[in-house]
Amino acid sequence: MTLRTGHTGLNVTDLDRSLAFYRDVLGFALLAEGREDGRRYAFLGEDGADAPLVTLWQQAGEPYDGGRAGLHHLAFTADSVDRVRAYEAALRAAGVEFAHEGVVAHREGSASGGIFFHDPDGTRLEISVPHGAEDAPAPHASAPTCGFF
């Protein structure tokens, strides 16, 4: 048996704020939601799908801390570099903080690359493509871009 990633669960400080970001800016569909006091959550995925891709749990007292063990970043794959650029434009319009300027390569000379940014709680996110970033710069000469942002 081979394991595959099912969904990624993120602790958030403010469910309404995070739900608006993942739904309205990144385009995830709301599949299920719980608003009971002390047990607020949202399941997000593709419209019409049964299984969530991302789950949000309002139970964090502080924002994301990249210096602690646990999630390094959450990576999404788009179908084209043009789609990555469309996400970049929507994220910029929403005032999102980026780790690098524009589409960057995963490493020097790589065809893969994308954008690297943070959600409302500071969780590091990536939207990339396996091909199409051949002409994009690499922020680090010898280390993978997705490893250090």
Side-chain angles (χ1 to χ4, degrees), residues 61-73 124:
E62 299 176 18
Y64 175 80
D65 181 352
R68 298 184 70 181
L71 179 73
H72 180 275
H73 74 284
R124 296 180 285 204

Side-chain angles (χ1 to χ4, degrees), residues 21-22 24-27 83-98 115-120 125-127:
F21 175 79
Y22 283 91
D24 302 341
V25 179
L26 293 183
R83 188 69 186 121
V84 172
R85 288 190 178 103
Y87 277 112
E88 178 188 8
L91 290 160
R92 286 200 188 283
V96 169
E97 175 189 343
F98 283 80
I115 55 175
F116 299 84
F117 55 99
H118 301 87
D119 80 358
L125 302 173
E126 167 188 354
I127 299 177

